[in-house]
Each structure stands twice: as structure tokens, then as C-alpha cells.
């Protein structure tokens, strides 16, 4: 029971992480494309200014929960995807520092350096998460000692690259949509145009990736997966239709798409956590990769107490910073 | 270097680097929270730019602490997969609790604090910085709970070759935790105090807002003195605890090759020759080690050879001696830096009467340079603690060599590649951080320059005309 609970909780943490950091990775990638001057670039960065570090903790918590509840999954996954994770971490490190440091000097060359790092640092995780998740569904070469022996290049197949493109586009669209909600004037107009184009391409790639996934031999619970991705396409389609006049609803529908596709992934994987392409005997499941029942029990109590509190104050933060960023505003970043 | 050596080097380098930014975060959040409490209670508006000044330095530091912390969490799985499998359900739990209980809190409320100056009431804004201060401290508590298990495993049982948790309470009451946690937190307050002292001295020497920087100087010297005294008291308890928990580390820290007589002298300084297993040019204080270890005038302290013999009996053949020279020297470096900080803080407090400190320019100059002391002490302390634990990754249970990831998953080349990548990233970040620290310190509170990017009328017109 608790094994299932923790699998669901980790899925929830990833859903939260992808929705929240989805838009701030998106903003980090497209702000140079939708702004015409440095002031507008700063306005765009300030839309995520007070929120991004709180968002990133969703990843840190997901990582911690993975370690605590499924230590064997954590160990095999993180050592197996070693170089990809190094790339992602380098990206995340540069990104966090770039947001904080970019505005600390007024010279153009200083801004240019941090712009490059912020863009790259948002791009790498946005792309790599799709690649990683697609690999988990497709299966990776895990041997009897629970070691992934594939190496970096084996992570890249046409299917996993398509997965990467999908997450990249989803997050880009999410970022563009977020900017239409949080800004005014020309910056907002440019973001709106961007969001419309992006939503069309996400729809196409999501369709292709969804159909491909539905035909993977490794997929469990195919019917539920089909239902979830189907609903995902519908919400994305609705978002595309609504973005012109109702950006709030479009943003929510896009978030719903991220939630549905992420849950689709976890449903498709369940009860596996990592599928071995060598032999099904070497698959990691929520049972053989888990911590002992006592740890799961303790952690369940902690999670049930803390998660509602965390959610409450994070919602409060979003409420405090709900206003649009205007050109007249004092910009922190 | 082989795969294991590279993995160890990567862990050591990234951890010490991460810990350059952590203590100052913990301590400075606390000092800023005190300053803001005084600001809210007295209603003195002139304190606000001062608090924002320290807040900027805090954030420059916090950003690097957070992002390097991410790597810390991930690299257990990346480089130390077998270790993660071995202790996963014990070690992972405090990490997860840290994220849920502490990290969410500090990261969320630092955003609220930084952006909330004009959006929140003074009291809610004050609450935000206190939540950050409590969050960073709680964060330290859970990380050290995990680390204490590696130093002194408790609350577990061995099942099929892995350690399983049987008592969460035992993890939280680990005696190692209750010497390690206060020592680390107090060291963080001491670090931040010297940070504030050094920068306030810099500003006082240049007559920048002397009233404001006198205020932060006063606060930091008092907090600094209290924490210097306590950090030494707790540090002493910690060393005493080693006598029972890790006698090998204590022997190595003293470069004590053979068990001493009943009246053990403390070695102030010696040249350690680990190959010949001898120490040269000893300067010693008679009976001092007995006093430190047992709190009485006599008592023999076990030597490396004797502990090694016991460990061979207990754990089987093998070499259980950690690298002695680094442990010995870092231990002394920490003690000397700590003592120097105690003396400086005491003198600063002595000068507080009638604010005489502002006239002692030579002392302010010394304080500017004393900023290096807490960094030396903190890094040395961790090197001593972690190198002294070798060859164990979990003391007495799992050797470091067995904890590393399988070379089939993570090759030496992989680690070498990542190590060079992180060296590059960390190096450039250090340069940027130091550059900004200097810039913002030199800039001080001058309202015409302290916000280089504040919106000018021209900006507004420009943006307005195009929208």
C-alpha cells in the first residue's frame, strides 16, 4: 500500500515541478525572443523572480523522496543517467546564478553573459527531462546487479529525442503563456503571438509522441494511458483555441496538459520504476526498489503533515505576487 | 587517479565549495532577522537601507548555496550508487524531510522577503525573514542528521547486506548529532558575525554611514563573542565524544602513533611524518590532552597502532588508518582560527563601551582581514571530520571503496568529465560571486549608486512609447 502511495506522491511532485518550473524554464528560454530592449528582458525575468526558487524545491523534494522511498530507483537512475544529469545540473546551476546575478551590474557585456547562461540553463533541463522520461518508458540496459550499463549515447534514440522535443516545446509554450498573464504592453503582445505558434507545434509533437508511446511494447495500463493522453490533447487543443481571449484559461489548460502527460507517464510505468531492456527479471519495481516498510511509514506521516502546509504557503506566495509586471515597476532582477 | 579516487575528489571539492556558502547563509539570515526585528520595534526608517544592504550580500551568497546544494543531493546517486543502495532508507529520509520541512520554507520566503518590501506589512515581512532564518537552520539539522549516521550509525539493523532503519527516533537522538549540530550552527553564526564585522569595519574606515555600520558592528561583535565561546565549548564536547565513538579519528587528529601515558600532553604543533609514523619538532602542553579527552588531570589516550590492532580484530584484516597528516593539520588550523576569532570578538566587545571601536583604526583593519578566519575554520573542520572517517563511508559498516558506483555505470572518464565541468562552473561562479561581493561592499549604502539598475524616467518613457 505505502509503496503505491509513495509512487503516487513522487508522481505528484513531478507534476508540480513540471507545471511550476515548466513556465519558468519557458520564460528563461523565450524572454530574449519576445523583448526588444533590456528593460523588457528584465520585466520578463521579474515575472518569475520571486517564484523560481520555491518552484525548484519541487525537484529537490522529488529527488529526496525518490532517495528515501525508492533508494534503489534513485541509485540506478542517477548513476545510469550520469552524464545527462551532469549536463542538467550544470544548466540548473548556471540558471539559478544567472537570475540572481544578471541585474547586479549595468553593463551590456555582463548582461549578455548571463543571458546566454540563463537561456542555456533553462534549455538543458527542459530538453533533458523529456529524454529521461522517454528512456524510462522505453527501457534501459539494466543488468542483474541493478546497474545501467548503457552510457550517455544509448540514451539518445529517435523516440527519446522526440520526448525531449515535446517537453521542450511544452515548457516553452507554458512560459509564453505565463508571460501573457504577467506582463503588459508590447511584451505581452509578443508573448501572445509566440504562445499561439508554440501551442500549434506542441499539439503536433504531442500527438506523434503519444501515438508512438501507446505502441511501445513496455507500456503498462495502455487503456488508462490512452485516456489520459487523449484528454491531454483535448486540453491543449482547447488552450490553443482560447489563448487569444482568455489567457488564464489557456494557461490552466496547458498546465492540465502537463499534469495529464506526466501522470500518463507514471501510469504507463506503474508498477515498474525502471524497465530493463536486457531482461524483465532485472526490472525495478515499486516493490524491489523500495525502502523498508518502517521508513515508508515514517515518511508517510511526515509527508501527510508537511505537504498541505507547503502547498498553503506556496499558494499564498502566488497570491501575494499575482499582479502584472508593468514597465513602471521597480525591478529587482 | 582511479574511479574511486576521482569520485572522492569530486565529493570533497564540491562539498567544501558548497560549505563556503552555507554557514554564511545560516548565520546572516539570523543576523538580518535580528536587525529587522530592531527596525520594526524601533520604527527607525534609516535601518531599512542597511538591512537591504545585508540582504543583497545574503542573496548573492544564497543563490550559489542553493544551486550547489542541488548537486550535493544528486551526487549520492550519481557517484555513490552502492552507498545509496546500502543506506538509502536511512540516509534518504532526512534528506527528504529537509526538502519538505526546511528547504521549501527558506526558498519560498526568501523570494517573499526580497520582493515583498512594499507589498507586505512590516510584521509579515519580518516574519518572512525569521522563517528564512529558521528554515536554513532546520535545513542544517536534517543534513547533519544524515551525516551523523555516517559518523555513528544508530537505529538500524542489517538485512540482506543493507542497513534498514528500525528507529527514526534513534536517528534524531544520535549523540553525534547533538554535538555536531550545535557546533555547526554556532560556527555559522560566528562566520556571519565575522562577515558583518569585516564589512562594517571596511565601511567605518571609510566613514560610510558610520551610525548605521556602528549598529551592525555592535550586533555582530556581541553575537560573534557569544558564538565563539559556545562553539569552542561544544567543539570540546565533540572531541570528548570522539574518544568513545571514533577513537581512530581522535588519534589521527592528535597524530598519536602510540597510546600515551596516564598524563597525556596536547600537541600544539608538530611535523607529522606519516611514512615513518613519527612526529618531529613537537611543542606540547603537559596533561592537556587528558584534560580535553576526559575532563580530568589523568587518563591515557589510545594511539593509532593500538586502535588499528583492535579494528583488525573487530572488522578483519585491513588498513583502518585515515590519512594522518591532513587530519592533524586541519584540526589545528580549525582550533587556531577559532581561538583567534574568540580573541578578536572579545576585544571588539570590550571596545563597544562608548563606541571606542570606531577610533581604533588598526583594529578595524585587522577585522577586515579576519574574514578569512571563519572560512579556514569551516573548511578545515569538515576536512578533519570527513577525512578522519576514512576508510569508512559509514563508520564500521561500509567502506568508502564499496560505496562508489559500479564502474560499469559510471566510468572514471565519466567522473573526470563531470569533475572538469563542475570545476569550470564552480570556478567561474566563485569569480562572479567574489566580484559582486566586492562591488556591493565598496558601493555600500550610497543611494545614488546602490541600485545600479533602478528604473529611470528615461526607461519608463522608452518602454511607454513603444507599447
Amino acid at each position: 500500500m505505502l509503496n503505491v502511495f509513495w509512487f503516487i506522491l513522487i508522481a505528484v511532485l513531478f507534476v508540480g515541478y513540471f507545471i511550476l518550473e515548466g513556465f519558468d524554464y519557458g520564460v528563461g528560454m523565450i524572454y530574449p525572443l519576445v523583448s526588444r530592449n533590456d528593460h523588457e528582458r528584465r520585466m520578463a525575468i521579474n515575472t518569475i523572480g520571486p517564484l523560481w526558487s520555491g518552484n525548484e524545491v519541487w525537484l529537490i523534494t522529488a529527488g529526496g523522496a525518490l532517495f528515501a522511498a525508492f533508494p534503489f530507483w534513485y541509485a540506478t537512475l542517477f548513476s545510469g543517467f550520469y552524464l545527462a544529469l551532469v549536463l542538467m545540473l550544470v544548466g540548473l546551476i548556471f540558471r539559478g546564478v544567472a537570475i540572481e546575478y544578471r541585474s547586479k551590474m549595468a553593463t551590456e557585456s555582463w548582461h549578455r553573459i548571463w543571458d546566454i547562461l540563463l537561456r542555456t540553463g533553462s534549455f538543458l533541463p527542459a530538453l533533458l527531462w523529456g529524454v529521461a522520461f522517454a528512456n524510462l518508458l522505453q527501457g534501459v540496459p539494466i543488468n542483474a546487479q541493478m546497474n545501467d550499463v548503457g552510457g550517455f549515447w544509448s540514451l539518445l534514440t529517435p523516440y527519446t529525442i522526440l520526448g525531449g522535443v515535446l517537453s521542450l516545446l511544452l515548457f516553452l509554450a507554458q512560459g509564453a503563456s505565463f508571460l501573457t498573464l504577467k506582463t503588459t504592453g508590447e511584451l505581452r503582445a509578443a508573448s501572445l503571438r509566440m504562445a499561439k505558434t508554440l501551442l500549434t507545434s506542441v499539439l503536433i509533437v504531442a500527438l506523434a509522441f503519444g501515438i508512438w508511446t501507446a505502441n511501445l511494447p513496455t507500456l503498462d495500463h495502455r487503456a488508462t494511458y490512452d485516456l489520459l493522453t487523449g484528454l491531454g490533447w483535448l486540453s491543449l487543443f482547447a488552450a490553443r483555441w482560447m489563448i487569444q481571449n482568455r489567457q488564464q484559461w489557456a494557461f490552466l489548460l496547458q498546465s492540465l496538459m502537463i499534469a495529464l502527460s506526466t501522470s500518463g507517464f507514471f501510469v504507463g510505468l506503474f508498477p515498474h520504476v525502471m524497465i530493463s531492456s536486457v531482461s524483465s527479471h532485472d526490472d525495478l519495481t515499486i516493490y524491489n526498489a523500495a525502502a523498508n516498510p518502517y521508513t515508508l511509514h515514517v515518511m508517510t506521516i511526515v509527508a501527510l503533515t508537511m505537504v498541505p502546509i507547503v502547498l498553503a504557503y506556496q499558494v499564498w506566495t502566488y497570491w501575494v505576487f499575482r499582479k502584472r509586471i508593468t514597465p513602471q515597476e521597480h525591478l529587482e532582477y | 587517479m582511479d574511479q574511486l579516487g576521482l569520485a572522492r575528489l569530486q565529493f570533497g571539492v564540491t562539498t567544501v565549495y558548497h560549505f563556503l556558502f552555507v554557514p554564511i547563509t545560516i548565520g546572516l539570515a539570523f543576523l538580518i532577522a535580528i536587525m529587522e526585528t530592531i527596525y520594526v520595534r524601533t520604527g527607525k526608517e534609516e535601518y531599512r537601507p542597511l538591512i537591504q544592504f545585508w540582504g543583497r550580500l545574503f542573496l548573492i551568497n544564497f543563490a550559489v548555496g542553493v544551486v550547489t546544494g542541488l548537486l550535493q543531493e544528486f551526487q549520492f546517486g550519481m557517484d555513490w550508487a552502492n552507498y545509496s543502495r546500502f543506506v538509502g532508507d536511512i540516509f534518504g529520509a532526512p534528506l527528504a524531510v529537509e526538502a519538505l520541512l526546511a528547504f521549501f520554507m527558506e526558498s519560498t520566503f526568501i523570494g517573499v522577503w526580497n520582493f515583498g518590501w512594499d507589498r507586505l506589512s512590516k510584521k509579515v515581512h519580518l516574519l518572512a525573514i525569521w522563517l528564512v532564518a529558521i528554515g536554513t537552520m532546520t535545513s542544517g539539522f536534517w543534513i547533519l542528521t544524515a551525516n551523523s549516521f555516517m559518523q555513528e550509525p544508530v537505529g538500524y539493523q542489517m538485512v540482506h547486506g543493507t542497513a534498514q532503519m528500525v528507529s527514526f527516533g534513534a536517528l534524531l537522538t544520535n549523540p553525534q548529532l547533538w554535538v555536531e549540530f550545535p557546533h555547526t550552527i554556532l560556527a555559522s553564526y560566528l562566520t556571519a558575525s565575522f562577515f558583518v564585522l569585516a564589512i562594517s569595519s571596511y565601511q567605518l574606515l571609510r566613514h560610510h554611514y558610520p551610525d548605521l555600520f556602528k549598529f551592525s558592528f555592535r550586533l555582530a561583535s556581541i553575537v560573534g563573542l557569544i558564538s565563539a565561546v559556545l562553539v569552542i565549548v561544544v567543539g570540546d564536547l565533540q572531541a570528548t565524544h570522539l574518544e568513545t565513538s571514533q577513537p581512530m579519528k581522535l588519534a589521527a587528529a592528535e597524530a598519536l602513533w602510540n597510546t600515551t601515558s596516564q598524563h597525556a600532553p596536547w600537541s600544539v604543533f608538530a611535523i607529522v611524518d606519516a611514512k615513518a609514523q613519527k612526529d618531529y619538532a613537537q611543542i606540547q602542553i603537559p596533561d592537556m590532552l587528558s584534560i580535553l579527552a576526559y575532563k580530568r588531570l589523568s587518563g591515557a589516550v589510545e594511539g593509532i597502532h593500538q586502535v588499528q590492532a583492535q579494528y583488525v580484530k573487530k572488522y578483519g584484516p585491513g588498513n583502518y588508518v585515515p590519512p594522518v597528516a591532513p587530519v592533524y593539520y586541519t584540526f589545528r588550523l580549525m582550533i587556531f582560527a577559532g581561538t583567534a576569532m574568540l580573541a578578536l570578538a572579545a576585544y571588539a566587545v570590550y571596545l563597544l563601551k562608548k563606541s571606542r571601536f570606531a577610533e581604533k583604526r588598526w583594529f578595524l583593519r585587522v577585522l577586515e582581514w579576519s574574514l578569512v578566519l571563519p572560512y579556514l575554520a569551516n573548511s578545515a573542520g569538515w576536512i578533519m571530520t570527513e577525512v578522519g572517517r576514512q576508510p569508512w563511508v559509514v563508520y564500521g559498516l561500509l567502506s568508502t571503496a564499496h560505496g562508489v558506483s559500479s564502474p560499469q555505470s559510471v566510468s572514471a572518464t565519466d567522473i573526470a568529465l563531470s569533475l572538469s565541468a563542475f570545476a569550470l562552473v564552480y570556478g567561474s561562479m566563485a569569480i562572479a560571486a567574489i566580484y559582486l561581493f566586492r562591488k556591493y561592499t565598496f558601493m555600500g549604502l550610497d543611494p545614488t549608486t546602490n541600485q545600479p539598475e533602478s528604473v529611470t524616467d528615461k526607461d519608463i518613457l522608452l518602454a511607454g512609447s513603444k507599447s
Side-chain angles (χ1 to χ4, degrees):
Chain A
M1 253 321 281
L2 288 181
N3 298 52
V4 178
F5 171 80
W6 275 91
F7 185 80
I8 295 171
L9 187 65
I10 284 166
V12 170
L13 287 168
F14 270 103
V15 169
Y17 165 59
F18 285 148
I19 291 177
L20 298 174
E21 282 258 278
F23 73 70
D24 70 47
Y25 291 155
V27 170
M29 288 184 282
I30 56 163
Y31 76 93
L33 304 175
V34 292
S35 51
R36 299 154 307 162
N37 53 40
D38 191 58
H39 189 66
E40 284 189 353
R41 280 192 279 282
R42 297 188 61 212
M43 283 170 62
I45 297 171
N46 273 272
T47 61
I48 55 169
L51 308 171
W52 77 270
S53 67
N55 294 343
E56 187 142 290
V57 184
W58 284 79
L59 170 62
I60 294 173
T61 309
L66 213 63
F67 197 170
F70 301 105
F72 294 85
W73 183 10
Y74 169 82
T76 305
L77 178 68
F78 283 34
S79 59
F81 290 10
Y82 192 88
L83 287 180
L85 275 173
V86 169
L87 267 182
M88 187 188 295
L89 285 167
V90 167
L92 289 176
I93 289 171
F94 271 139
R95 179 188 134 81
V97 177
I99 293 177
E100 193 57 53
Y101 285 11
R102 186 187 182 280
S103 66
K104 297 287 183 283
M105 293 263 299
T107 64
E108 202 181 314
S109 55
W110 179 266
H111 286 177
R112 206 176 307 132
I113 297 170
W114 296 112
D115 278 339
I116 293 170
L117 293 177
L118 177 50
R119 253 179 307 182
T120 323
S122 305
F123 169 81
L124 284 171
L127 177 79
L128 289 169
W129 277 115
V131 175
F133 272 44
N135 264 290
L136 288 177
L137 278 182
Q138 191 186 41
V140 285
I142 296 173
N143 67 16
Q145 287 75 45
M146 290 195 178
N147 288 314
D148 175 349
V149 293
F152 179 70
W153 296 108
S154 77
L155 293 176
L156 302 176
T157 67
Y159 171 72
T160 61
I161 291 170
L162 191 66
V165 172
L166 176 61
S167 64
L168 182 68
L169 288 172
L170 259 177
F171 294 161
L172 271 169
Q174 181 86 340
S177 202
F178 185 73
L179 283 177
T180 65
L181 286 180
K182 296 290 284 186
T183 57
T184 54
E186 183 53 35
L187 179 56
R188 178 160 177 267
S191 306
L192 188 60
R193 286 192 295 275
M194 191 64 90
K196 279 195 261 181
T197 322
L198 281 165
L199 278 171
T200 313
S201 42
V202 183
L203 202 52
I204 296 165
V205 176
L207 205 65
F209 184 76
I211 291 169
W212 196 337
T213 307
N215 289 300
L216 280 182
T218 47
L219 189 69
D220 291 309
H221 313 288
R222 203 169 301 272
T224 324
Y225 174 83
D226 291 346
L227 180 73
L228 288 171
T229 42
L231 288 171
W233 292 330
L234 280 180
S235 54
L236 205 56
F237 189 77
R240 173 71 186 81
W241 181 60
M242 273 187 172
I243 187 108
Q244 182 68 50
N245 300 314
R246 291 182 187 171
Q247 285 100 30
Q248 297 90 322
W249 284 104
F251 182 76
L252 280 179
L253 285 165
Q254 282 174 252
S255 304
L256 184 66
M257 166 63 182
I258 293 181
L260 287 167
S261 51
T262 310
S263 353
F265 159 83
F266 278 97
V267 167
L269 201 59
F270 182 84
H272 295 100
V273 292
M274 284 186 94
I275 296 163
S276 170
S277 56
V278 181
S279 152
S280 61
H281 291 294
D282 302 330
D283 287 350
L284 271 64
T285 67
I286 62 166
Y287 303 105
N288 69 9
N292 75 64
Y294 177 77
T295 300
L296 290 179
H297 179 77
V298 171
M299 292 306 298
T300 304
I301 296 170
V302 175
L304 289 178
T305 334
M306 287 316 297
V307 171
I309 299 174
V310 170
L311 282 177
Y313 64 63
Q314 284 224 327
V315 169
W316 177 77
T317 327
Y318 276 82
W319 190 77
V320 169
F321 299 104
R322 66 195 178 283
K323 277 198 194 135
R324 286 177 194 274
I325 306 276
T326 61
Q328 286 77 16
E329 189 127 355
H330 164 71
L331 298 176
E332 198 62 43
Y333 288 139
Chain B
M1 204 181 277
D2 61 349
Q3 190 237 14
L4 174 64
L6 284 164
R8 286 183 59 187
L9 183 65
Q10 170 143 308
F11 193 83
V13 169
T14 54
T15 306
V16 168
Y17 187 92
H18 176 61
F19 204 71
L20 293 177
F21 298 89
V22 171
I24 187 86
T25 308
I26 297 174
L28 201 53
F30 179 66
L31 286 176
I32 293 174
I34 296 177
M35 286 184 210
E36 193 167 338
T37 308
I38 296 171
Y39 159 70
V40 172
R41 292 197 61 160
T42 59
K44 284 188 183 168
E45 281 306 314
E46 64 267 28
Y47 284 163
R48 182 171 150 162
L50 181 75
I51 295 166
Q52 286 176 323
F53 168 79
W54 295 115
R56 271 192 294 278
L57 295 182
F58 174 85
L59 282 160
I60 291 169
N61 188 78
F62 184 74
V64 184
V66 171
V67 294
T68 52
L70 251 165
L71 173 64
Q72 291 306 106
E73 187 195 30
F74 278 40
Q75 76 174 317
F76 292 111
M78 291 164 72
D79 293 38
W80 303 96
N82 285 323
Y83 164 77
S84 301
R85 290 182 186 117
F86 181 80
V87 295
D89 63 322
I90 299 170
F91 194 82
L95 288 192
V97 177
E98 188 232 356
L100 272 171
L101 203 71
F103 209 60
F104 261 124
M105 193 156 103
E106 54 186 290
S107 299
T108 309
F109 287 101
I110 194 62
V112 170
W113 186 81
N114 189 26
F115 283 80
W117 280 100
D118 300 317
R119 279 172 226 228
L120 300 167
S121 75
K122 274 190 180 176
K123 282 195 176 150
V124 176
H125 194 259
L126 176 65
L127 180 68
I129 191 70
W130 274 109
L131 289 174
V132 174
I134 295 166
T136 54
M137 211 170 85
T138 319
S139 201
F141 176 81
W142 290 102
I143 293 302
L144 294 178
T145 303
N147 181 265
S148 294
F149 180 81
M150 299 167 78
Q151 307 287 347
E152 189 172 341
V154 289
Y156 71 95
Q157 67 180 21
M158 295 297 293
V159 182
H160 305 306
T162 64
Q164 294 197 344
M165 197 201 295
V166 289
S167 165
F168 191 59
L171 286 185
L172 298 181
T173 51
N174 190 342
Q176 170 68 24
L177 174 64
W178 287 100
V179 284
E180 197 173 318
F181 172 65
H183 189 66
T184 314
I185 291 298
L186 290 163
S188 304
Y189 292 165
L190 187 56
T191 305
S193 300
F194 270 81
F195 184 82
V196 172
L197 277 176
I199 292 171
S200 300
S201 299
Y202 173 89
Q203 307 291 0
L204 288 171
L205 280 168
R206 281 151 194 82
H207 307 292
H208 290 162
Y209 294 84
D211 288 341
L212 290 176
F213 284 107
K214 275 180 188 172
F215 167 67
S216 54
F217 187 100
R218 269 192 210 103
L219 177 66
S221 50
I222 293 166
V223 175
L225 179 60
I226 297 171
S227 29
V229 171
L230 293 176
V231 87
I232 291 172
V233 171
V234 178
D236 176 55
L237 291 178
Q238 205 175 355
T240 307
H241 181 65
L242 278 185
E243 224 294 308
T244 45
S245 64
Q246 295 183 21
M248 183 60 101
K249 189 190 280 180
L250 183 66
E254 294 299 330
L256 214 57
W257 299 98
N258 286 297
T259 303
T260 64
S261 65
Q262 276 299 312
H263 294 273
W266 188 67
S267 155
V268 180
F269 188 78
I271 293 165
V272 177
D273 185 346
K275 265 205 192 114
Q277 307 195 327
K278 274 208 169 88
D279 309 324
Y280 303 101
Q282 284 269 20
I283 305 170
Q284 296 180 325
I285 305 176
D287 291 350
M288 195 60 198
L289 185 57
S290 296
I291 297 173
L292 289 174
Y294 301 106
K295 307 288 169 278
R296 55 171 200 259
L297 280 168
S298 65
V301 177
E302 285 180 303
I304 293 167
H305 294 314
Q306 287 72 24
V307 184
Q308 162 73 17
Q310 291 165 23
Y311 279 11
V312 167
K313 223 182 261 173
K314 194 168 168 190
Y315 303 115
N319 179 12
Y320 300 98
V321 184
V324 176
V327 178
Y328 176 86
Y329 290 123
T330 49
F331 190 44
R332 268 149 199 75
L333 184 59
M334 176 175 77
I335 291 172
F336 293 143
T339 315
M341 284 188 275
L342 173 68
L344 290 168
Y347 189 60
V349 169
Y350 168 77
L351 291 176
L352 284 189
K353 253 196 271 171
K354 298 180 195 163
S355 293
R356 281 192 297 147
F357 58 86
E359 296 144 30
K360 299 263 181 198
R361 297 180 66 83
W362 67 268
F363 182 59
L364 296 180
R365 263 183 227 115
V366 171
L367 281 181
E368 281 183 305
W369 287 100
S370 71
L371 182 54
V372 63
L373 290 174
Y375 288 95
L376 286 178
N378 293 336
S379 305
W382 271 116
I383 293 170
M384 183 253 165
T385 306
E386 301 300 287
V387 173
R389 173 166 49 77
Q390 299 305 325
W392 300 107
V393 61
V394 183
Y395 209 79
L397 293 183
L398 184 74
S399 73
T400 308
H402 285 116
V404 76
S405 295
S406 155
Q408 285 179 299
S409 281
V410 182
S411 66
T413 323
D414 288 346
I415 304 178
L417 274 173
S418 77
L419 189 56
S420 354
F422 287 123
L424 198 73
V425 173
Y426 280 24
S428 51
M429 263 187 333
I431 293 168
I434 291 169
Y435 182 75
L436 287 177
F437 269 131
R438 286 173 56 96
K439 180 182 141 73
Y440 276 82
T441 302
F442 295 167
M443 207 183 277
L445 299 180
D446 195 345
T448 52
T449 48
N450 75 347
Q451 280 167 9
E453 298 228 339
S454 63
V455 185
T456 61
D457 292 343
K458 199 178 141 218
D459 286 332
I460 295 170
L461 283 174
L462 215 81
S465 66
K466 285 179 186 168
S467 60

